[in-house]
Amino acid sequence: MEINVYNVYSKYLKGKFGEKVYKLPINLPLTCPNRDGCVGSGGCIYCGEEGGSFENLPNSLDVKEQLTANKDYIKDRYKAKKFIAYFQNFTNTYMPLNDFKRVIKEALMDDIVGISISTRPDCINNDYLEFLAEIKDEYDLDITVELGLQTVNYHTLNKINRGHTLAEFIDGVLRNKRYNIRTCVHMIPNFPWDDMDDVKEGAKILSALEVEEVKLHALYIVENTVLGSMYKEGNISLVSKEEYIERVIAFLEYLSPNIVVQRLLGRAPEENTLFVNWNESWWKIRDEIISEMEERGTFQGRKCNYLNGKALERFKK
Ligand code: SF4
C-alpha cells in the first residue's frame, strides 16, 4: 500500500540510504530503574516480563552473535544489505558508561548504517551522549535514542507509574539535540485516563520540541501486570477501536509534517495477552486509518499551524 497521508519511516530510510534498511533487534540482559527500585519498583503498570519486546534472540548471545544471526535470516529473505542495530528491550542505557561503550562498539560492522537505542528519559546524560556523538561522526552513523514517554498528561504518567514526568522527557529531548542525536518518541494514544485533548497536546509538544521520529502503539494488556489485574477486575474501560482511529488521525493532523512516523500500532505476544488491538491485525487497523484519512482528504501536519507566533500571522502582508 502506497502511503501518502503521513511521513512514513521506510520512505525516510530509503531516501537517506538509497535502499531498504532493516532493523535488527538486540536483547541485552538488562533491567530498568523503574523495576529495580532505583526510581520505582514494579515498573509501568502495563510492562510485562519482556520489557518491551517478545521476538528477540536470547540475551545469552552477545551483540555480534545476535546481529549476525538476525542479519543472515533477513539477508536471505529480503536481499537486504544495510541494517540498523536496534537495542530494544528494557532500558538500554541503564548500565555503567564503560559497559555501554563496549556493547555499542560491538554493534559496529560494515553494513550497520545506524544504531537505535531504546531507553527512558531519565536514563540519558551528557557522558553517554558525548560518546554517541563521537561514534556517530567517526563511523558516519544515523543514531537515534528512543525515549518512552507514552503520554504528555503528567497525571496519567503518575497513574501508570512511569517514574518520571514530562520534565525529564523534555530534558532528554533537548540534551539529544545538543549532541545532534535523533530522538524517537514512543506514545500510547489510548490510555483510558486520557482524552482527545491529551492526544492533540502530545502531538503539539513533540512538534514544538522538533523531535525527529515518533512511534505509536495501542495499549495492550498482559497477564501478571497491574493493568492486567485492573482489566480483569473491571476497573478500567478501554477506548474503542473507532476512538483509537480518531485519536491517531487527530494526532497526525497536529503533528509536524517533518516528524517521521515509525508506526501507528504495535504488536503483542499471543501468549499471556488479555487484550491487544481489538483482536484484529495491526496492519488492518493501520490500513483503516489510512483509508479514513484519504477519504477525509486529511494528512499529517494539516493542523500544525500553532508554532512560530501564530497570533502574528494577521500582520503578515
Ligand atoms: S520504562 Fe519500559 S522497561 Fe521500564 S518498567 Fe516501564 S515499560 Fe517496563
Side-chain angles (χ1 to χ4, degrees), residues 32 34-35 43-44 46-47 51 90-91 120 162:
C32 164
N34 199 27
R35 293 174 74 100
C44 305
Y46 51 82
C47 181
F90 290 113
T91 306
R120 290 168 52 87
R162 276 294 299 176

Side-chain angles (χ1 to χ4, degrees), residues 1 265 277 280-288:
M1 177 183 233
L265 287 114
N277 293 343
E280 287 188 27
S281 315
W282 67 271
W283 54 268
K284 270 193 178 167
I285 303 177
R286 182 206 58 185
D287 289 353
E288 265 187 72

Side-chain angles (χ1 to χ4, degrees), residues 53-313:
S53 183
F54 55 94
E55 292 177 318
N56 289 335
L57 292 169
N59 60 26
S60 51
L61 298 176
D62 69 25
V63 171
K64 270 205 185 347
E65 287 169 331
Q66 291 186 48
L67 284 175
T68 305
N70 277 325
K71 224 193 284 184
D72 288 347
Y73 177 74
I74 290 179
K75 263 184 177 171
D76 286 350
R77 265 189 117 179
Y78 302 107
K79 311 273 170 266
K81 291 197 233 64
K82 291 181 181 173
F83 304 92
I84 292 172
Y86 181 25
F87 292 84
Q88 185 172 18
N89 271 28
F90 290 113
T91 306
N92 289 283
T93 53
Y94 187 48
M95 63 184 98
L97 181 59
N98 281 336
D99 292 349
F100 179 67
K101 288 182 177 177
R102 180 178 49 76
V103 293
I104 296 291
K105 281 181 179 166
E106 273 183 51
L108 301 175
M109 303 174 179
D110 285 348
D111 47 7
I112 297 289
V113 295
I115 296 181
S116 281
I117 304 149
S118 182
T119 190
R120 290 168 52 87
D122 56 8
C123 274
I124 193 79
N125 73 17
N126 295 348
D127 296 336
Y128 290 65
L129 288 167
E130 197 175 302
F131 163 69
L132 289 177
E134 275 168 22
I135 63 152
K136 176 182 178 295
D137 292 343
E138 195 179 333
Y139 294 89
D140 191 22
L141 292 166
D142 205 50
I143 298 194
T144 306
V145 168
E146 297 198 2
L147 296 179
L149 173 64
Q150 320 307 350
T151 171
V152 294
N153 181 328
Y154 43 85
H155 300 293
T156 302
L157 287 173
N158 205 17
K159 278 204 182 79
I160 62 175
N161 197 37
R162 276 294 299 176
H164 66 79
T165 66
L166 186 58
E168 290 90 332
F169 167 75
I170 293 171
D171 177 57
V173 175
L174 297 178
R175 229 163 266 284
N176 286 347
K177 281 233 172 284
R178 273 174 227 141
Y179 288 89
N180 214 6
I181 299 295
R182 295 173 69 81
T183 302
C184 175
V185 188
H186 294 207
M187 298 294 276
I188 299 176
N190 62 325
F191 281 116
W193 309 279
D194 282 0
D195 60 22
M196 188 60 107
D197 285 343
D198 295 304
V199 173
K200 290 175 185 171
E201 195 62 22
K204 290 174 78 172
I205 288 175
L206 301 192
S207 303
L209 286 170
E210 297 181 0
V211 307
E212 286 79 8
E213 295 168 24
V214 67
K215 254 186 198 176
L216 301 182
H217 69 89
L219 185 65
Y220 63 78
I221 304 176
V222 288
E223 282 277 15
N224 304 321
T225 59
V226 175
L227 189 66
S229 305
M230 291 166 103
Y231 177 69
K232 286 203 263 187
E233 286 157 17
N235 292 333
I236 47 166
S237 48
L238 295 178
V239 165
S240 68
K241 185 186 83 174
E242 290 68 31
E243 172 68 10
Y244 183 78
I245 290 173
E246 288 304 323
R247 289 187 184 193
V248 172
I249 292 174
F251 180 87
L252 292 173
E253 286 178 332
Y254 280 88
L255 193 69
S256 160
N258 299 329
I259 297 176
V260 177
V261 180
Q262 282 210 28
R263 67 179 189 211
L264 302 184
L265 287 114
R267 286 176 296 154
E270 271 170 26
E271 268 174 46
N272 292 334
T273 300
L274 299 169
F275 171 84
V276 56
N277 293 343
W278 299 271
N279 289 326
E280 287 188 27
S281 315
W282 67 271
W283 54 268
K284 270 193 178 167
I285 303 177
R286 182 206 58 185
D287 289 353
E288 265 187 72
I289 295 169
I290 294 166
S291 303
E292 192 59 38
M293 290 179 77
E294 285 171 350
E295 213 162 284
R296 294 183 196 179
T298 195
F299 47 86
Q300 180 181 342
R302 190 170 73 83
K303 296 181 181 170
C304 183
N305 59 356
Y306 46 83
L307 299 172
N308 195 22
K310 188 185 176 194
L312 298 179
E313 287 290 318

